[in-house]
Structures are given as structure tokens and as C-alpha cells.
Amino acid sequence: MNIFITKNIPEAGLLLLQEKGFNLTVNPTENVLSREEFIKICQENDALLNVGSSNLDEAFFEQCPNLKGIALFSVGYDSVHIPSANSRKIPVGNTPEVLNRATSDTAFLLMQSVARKSFYNHKRIINGEWGTFNALANLGQELYGKTLGIFGLGRIGFEMAQKCKAAFGMNIIYHNRSHNENAEKELDAQYVDFETLLAQSDVLSVHSNYTEENNELFNKETFAKMKPNAIFINTARGKFHNEDDLYYALTNDIIWGAGLDVTNPEPMKQDNPLLSLPNCCVLPHIGSATYEARNGMAVCAAQNIIALSENRKMPFCVNEEVYS
Ligand code: DGY
């Protein structure tokens, strides 16, 4: 089988693929392909192992009729137009579970960083602004006993809630399409409607899969319904929030702070005004960037490709309907 790997992945996955004797084309990380170049290589391959954010839309599928399967190097699959894959019976695999810890750790890290204005204070030192002790300056907030609201309580959201409960005894509320019985039992999490999530969360953390219906769900109107002490955390997808509205909310005391691992667009521009705010911490989409998670992702992606080559169901398939 001929496989195109869009960017280098950890050896743990590459070795599994090499052992199977596949013909691998690995695009060197530095080499950013144009859409035309990308499609041309996909046309010459049986399977795609996609690392990063290529837009696998209807036009892509139309132009790559020989493609038999796609293994994503991500848990999110918003880069793929699933109906287009389904209509051609192309299985799409992702990398669930293995990045739950790393991504929820990142959400937790951002929450604490915002609560204690840590990025801003780091910048103050660099700028020679440490100054003398000031009992009234740079005060943060403690999170003990506060309410964590999770938007999309799946596997990553569960781990974030677990950490917040263990560390700070936080109360957990959540809004999902369906109830998460495990979280209700294990974490005493309470299902609430979206309006209540906005109104009651001291920290609101987004962990949902992105879909177009949730595009910029967090905007001027919804930020206005949040508490003035609220911290907004997004480690899911940048398209969940409107960046101008977030800036407005942060600079007009509508909400207290924000921590983002995802932005829209990515990369965020160097002169984005959010980067200069004392109450905003931004990371460059490093949620899953640990050795452990990335090795796990490489193995999952390789297992999906291997299953495809053996005419088996991908073990981590997001569109199982293609097998029916
Ligand atoms: C994921 O796995 O979806 C991460 O956001 C990396 O894209």
C-alpha cells in the first residue's frame, strides 16, 4: 500500500508502518505543500496519514478517487467533511484517549496561569518591571470551591473536571448533547442547560468536538451572560470563540480572564492585541504536545492504517457507518 504522511510523526508509529512493508512518502516538516501539490500526492497514494490542518473537503475527495482511507493524527476530525468520506465509503480514523491527559493538563495549566496572571508577570520581569513589593498589585484569584463549567464533557473534559475537583474541590457543572452518567456518578457533575452554564461557571472550559453549528458560540452575547470573575478556557478549537468579542469582554470587565491553546486563525498573528493583555494567556496549540501523547497518537494512526490495509475496521474510526 502507498501511504502519504503529511508531516513527520514519532518513530513509534513509523516503525509499525515500516514493519508492514508499506511504501511510505513522508513530507518533511519544513516543506509546506500548496493545495495543488498536496492533492497531487494524495492522488498517487492509497491512504493518507494527515498531520495538521489540511482541509479535506468535498473538492478534495472528488479529486482523489483512489484514496481508500484517512488516518488523522488528531482526535478532532473537523478538518474532514465526513459526508463526503461517507458517500465514497472512505473510513476516517482519529487518535482518541491517548491525548486526554496532555490536553486536560493544558486546560488546567491555562486555568491556573490565568488565575494568577503568570504569563503577564513573566513578561513584566523580561521588561524590567518587577519593581518593589506591592500588596495591591497583580492579584490573582483562588479557585477553591468554585464552579467549573465544562462545555462538552467527553473524555478530555472528564479529566479536566477530575483534576479541578481533586486540586480545588471545584463543583462541576456541564453542558453536553447527552448526559455523562459516569461524570455524574464519579464527580458529582451536574447537567445544566447552556444558559446556566454561562451564568454559573467561575471557570468555563471548552472540550467539545467542533461543528459548524457551534461556530463562534462564545461571542459578545454569550460572554455578556458570564460572571465578571469568570475565566474562559479553550483548548478545543479556535472557531468556538469570536476573538474580537473576547478582546472586548476582557478589556471591559465583562469576564475576568481567558486562556487559549487554540486560536482562529492559527498561527495567531504576533501583533494580536490579545497577546498584550494581562488577563489573557495564549499557547500555540500544544495541547497534545507531550512525548507520551504524541507517541500514542502515532501508534493509533498507524493501527488505523494497518487495519485499512488488512480490510479490517479501523480501531479508531469516526465514521463507522462506512462499514455497514
Ligand atoms: C487534536 O488532536 O485534535 C489536537 O487539537 C491536535 O490537532
Side-chain angles (χ1 to χ4, degrees):
M1 214 166 78
N2 297 321
I3 298 153
F4 175 41
I5 306 181
T6 60
K7 282 183 194 173
N8 223 336
I9 60 166
E11 224 174 34
L14 276 183
L15 287 175
L16 289 177
L17 297 171
Q18 281 160 354
E19 274 168 17
K20 290 283 172 188
F22 298 138
N23 180 19
L24 306 179
T25 304
V26 185
N27 181 37
T29 319
E30 300 73 25
N31 183 4
V32 179
L33 297 174
S34 67
R35 169 99 172 164
E36 290 69 30
E37 289 168 323
F38 172 67
I39 287 179
K40 186 167 182 303
I41 304 183
C42 289
Q43 285 168 342
E44 293 157 2
N45 282 274
D46 304 302
L48 169 66
L49 198 162
N50 194 59
V51 186
S53 58
S54 326
N55 183 14
L56 308 180
D57 54 9
E58 171 63 23
F60 165 81
F61 283 100
E62 215 170 80
Q63 290 174 77
C64 301
N66 300 327
L67 213 55
K68 295 176 187 64
I70 296 172
L72 300 173
F73 190 82
S74 64
V75 66
Y77 49 91
D78 51 303
S79 58
V80 186
H81 188 244
I82 295 295
S84 301
N86 286 351
S87 67
R88 295 167 174 86
K89 298 264 180 229
I90 296 180
V92 178
N94 70 343
T95 62
E97 306 292 346
V98 291
L99 43 61
N100 295 353
R101 281 188 180 164
T103 309
S104 57
D105 283 351
T106 304
F108 190 84
L109 165 78
L110 281 170
M111 176 182 76
Q112 273 288 78
S113 302
V114 176
R116 298 302 301 273
K117 304 184 175 173
S118 66
F119 289 25
Y120 167 69
N121 280 302
H122 182 81
K123 274 188 250 166
R124 284 179 54 240
I125 301 174
I126 295 172
N127 295 338
E129 294 166 359
W130 185 325
T132 54
F133 179 81
N134 182 340
L136 300 177
N138 303 312
L139 305 187
Q141 48 168 314
E142 297 183 12
L143 300 169
Y144 298 88
K146 294 205 170 156
T147 295
L148 170 71
I150 301 268
F151 181 77
L153 208 164
R155 296 168 284 230
I156 298 172
F158 183 92
E159 293 214 12
M160 170 64 170
Q162 209 173 27
K163 289 182 221 295
C164 291
K165 196 165 187 72
F168 299 119
M170 292 176 84
N171 309 309
I172 315 297
I173 58 175
Y174 73 102
H175 182 71
N176 251 12
R177 266 191 240 171
S178 54
H179 280 252
N180 185 322
E181 280 167 20
N182 191 30
E184 292 182 7
K185 201 168 114 213
E186 299 274 319
L187 306 174
D188 229 351
Q190 192 196 339
Y191 181 92
V192 293
D193 60 27
F194 185 57
E195 295 294 311
T196 308
L197 189 86
L198 293 172
Q200 291 188 0
S201 299
D202 296 303
V203 176
L204 198 162
S205 193
V206 182
H207 295 282
S208 180
N209 257 334
Y210 173 80
T211 55
E212 262 169 33
E213 80 207 40
N214 287 330
N215 190 50
E216 300 195 347
L217 180 65
F218 295 92
N219 54 41
K220 205 166 191 168
E221 198 185 306
T222 45
F223 287 131
K225 293 177 178 169
M226 289 171 65
K227 289 181 167 182
N229 71 300
I231 295 173
F232 174 73
I233 303 292
N234 189 357
T235 53
R237 284 293 179 265
K239 287 189 272 186
F240 271 111
H241 63 263
N242 177 300
E243 228 150 76
D244 293 339
D245 293 354
L246 178 61
Y247 182 82
Y248 180 85
L250 291 172
T251 49
N252 287 279
D253 298 327
I254 310 280
I255 65 169
W256 197 80
L260 310 175
D261 184 44
V262 287
T263 62
N264 184 21
E266 289 182 6
M268 178 181 252
K269 290 218 178 91
Q270 221 178 329
D271 61 357
N272 189 304
L274 285 172
L275 294 171
S276 60
L277 296 182
N279 52 352
C280 187
C281 297
V282 185
L283 291 172
H285 204 148
I286 56 156
S288 65
T290 63
Y291 293 107
E292 293 84 354
R294 292 281 163 88
N295 283 338
M297 291 165 78
V299 169
C300 287
Q303 287 173 340
N304 280 334
I305 296 276
I306 292 168
L308 176 77
S309 75
E310 294 171 353
N311 286 322
R312 285 187 289 113
K313 220 173 181 179
M314 284 185 176
F316 314 103
C317 185
V318 302
N319 59 342
E320 295 212 346
E321 52 274 36
V322 296
Y323 294 111
S324 61

